[in-house]
Amino acid sequence: MIRCIGYELYKFMVQKKGILVFVVYFIFKIISVVTSPGVQHNKENIRQKMYMDIYYSRWGGELDSQKNSEIENMLVQIQNAQNKYDDMMSKKVNGELLTEEYMEVTNETFPLIQQFYKSYSYCKNESNGGWLIKANAWQILFGLQKIDYVLTIIAILAGTMIFSSEFGYRGLEEIIKTTHYGKNYILLSKIVCLIIVSFLVEMISVVAEFTGVAVFFDFTFANAPIRSVPSMKNFKYDLTIVGAFVILFLVRLFALFYLEIIAAFLTELTKKSYLGFVLTFFSILLLFFIILRKRAKNA
């Protein structure tokens, strides 16, 4: 049985060039993440990163009375910086300050007056038990958890390719079926192969997402409550950030396997790999259309 599963994987990965599809998708995914608006908009320069690292290393994590007191005492510095910033802006508008001088001042004050205290205020007043964390990386990653159409196509392709590997080899399928356990072993091996491929594809997607975001951001406080991330403040369940990602991983893994099973069934039914792909693809499109239409009516 294990040898049979290995051979099915070999046919998909090598003979059907599945490994090439994985490599191309991995590169494409990293590029799409790195160039995504969320990453580009939230990139930090060296000075900003330096300020943020200092603040979060000192006060990051679960808030307590001591941290609150220290941060609130820093509010005076923040307000002074805000006044300095406003004064520089006024002088720049009036032509009393060169652009280079303005940039030097704002680069020094911007991290202090903008990002950290905003995160602190959210954590203290709105997060419902969230920790004070540098949430940019996590927020971007959660924003990427949408329908991946390329991943959908790869899943459908995998289902059709694995269940059509004998098509075109005259008599091979019939010979396999005549053996004592051949038909059942081959079917079970192909289903296990689908599960393995689903896992591999999902792992490639997740690794590419983390790699693309890690180019510009640090991942910290993975054990913090999920509501520490501002975009997840209305999340109903008490999960950690890493716990939420594990659940998302499993949900997407099941969705990929479900797509592969549909594609495999239609391929086996029609005995044509291209028909299995087309029928699965358009059935998924129809399902998306129905869901979007219902959402539009409820809106």
Side-chain angles (χ1 to χ4, degrees), residues 25-290:
Y25 174 70
F26 181 71
I27 296 171
F28 166 80
K29 186 70 175 181
I30 289 180
I31 293 173
S32 66
V33 170
V34 169
T35 58
S36 65
V39 170
Q40 294 299 313
H41 178 72
N42 290 286
K43 282 194 302 185
E44 298 174 313
N45 60 40
I46 295 175
R47 189 180 294 272
Q48 288 173 330
K49 188 177 186 305
M50 179 187 70
Y51 274 108
M52 292 299 102
D53 288 345
I54 291 172
Y55 294 157
Y56 284 105
S57 64
R58 182 172 179 180
W59 292 300
E62 190 173 4
L63 288 177
D64 54 33
S65 57
Q66 182 179 348
K67 287 182 180 180
N68 289 341
S69 177
E70 290 177 359
I71 295 172
E72 292 294 344
N73 288 337
M74 196 179 68
L75 179 59
V76 175
Q77 301 176 41
I78 293 173
Q79 290 176 337
N80 288 338
Q82 179 69 62
N83 294 334
K84 186 178 181 181
Y85 178 87
D86 293 340
D87 183 55
M88 293 300 103
M89 174 65 77
S90 177
K91 287 183 178 180
K92 180 178 181 296
V93 171
N94 295 330
E96 300 174 22
L97 189 69
L98 296 176
T99 301
E100 291 79 8
E101 295 174 315
Y102 167 78
M103 291 301 296
E104 182 179 352
V105 172
T106 54
N107 281 342
E108 290 177 354
T109 59
F110 177 77
L112 183 64
I113 63 177
Q114 191 75 11
Q115 296 181 17
F116 180 74
Y117 201 78
K118 182 179 179 182
S119 296
Y120 166 71
S121 298
Y122 163 75
C123 179
K124 182 182 178 183
N125 302 318
E126 301 179 51
S127 66
N128 191 22
W131 293 5
L132 178 57
I133 67 171
K134 194 175 182 180
N136 283 352
W138 301 117
Q139 185 137 313
I140 292 169
L141 276 177
F142 279 117
L144 294 172
Q145 307 308 304
K146 300 175 182 177
I147 296 173
D148 188 332
Y149 296 102
V150 177
L151 199 61
T152 299
I153 291 173
I154 291 175
I156 297 172
L157 274 174
T160 58
M161 290 165 70
I162 290 171
F163 269 74
S164 65
S165 56
E166 285 82 27
F167 296 173
Y169 295 91
R170 182 176 299 176
L172 180 57
E173 190 176 11
E174 285 71 20
I175 292 173
I176 292 173
K177 289 179 178 179
T178 59
T179 60
H180 188 53
Y181 294 110
K183 185 177 180 180
N184 291 334
Y185 272 16
I186 290 295
L187 178 61
L188 288 174
S189 298
K190 288 180 182 294
I191 292 174
V192 173
C193 187
L194 287 181
I195 295 172
I196 294 172
V197 169
S198 300
F199 181 81
L200 289 175
V201 171
E202 179 60 12
M203 279 299 298
I204 289 170
S205 178
V206 169
V207 170
E209 288 173 353
F210 272 82
T211 302
V213 176
V215 172
F216 300 106
F217 304 95
D218 299 324
F219 294 102
T220 58
F221 296 103
N223 62 328
I226 185 64
R227 286 186 286 270
S228 304
V229 182
S231 61
M232 307 299 290
K233 68 179 181 180
N234 295 322
F235 198 79
K236 297 179 181 179
Y237 305 102
D238 292 325
L239 292 172
T240 62
I241 292 174
V242 68
F245 270 106
V246 168
I247 291 175
L248 282 171
F249 179 89
L250 294 175
V251 169
R252 297 206 312 185
L253 180 62
F254 175 79
L256 290 175
F257 179 66
Y258 179 73
L259 285 173
E260 289 177 355
I261 285 292
I262 294 175
F265 172 76
L266 292 174
T267 299
E268 187 69 19
L269 186 66
T270 61
K271 299 299 180 184
K272 300 288 184 183
S273 59
Y274 71 90
L275 276 179
F277 178 86
V278 170
L279 290 173
T280 306
F281 182 76
F282 280 103
S283 65
I284 297 302
L285 280 182
L286 179 62
L287 179 61
F288 286 160
F289 175 77
I290 293 172

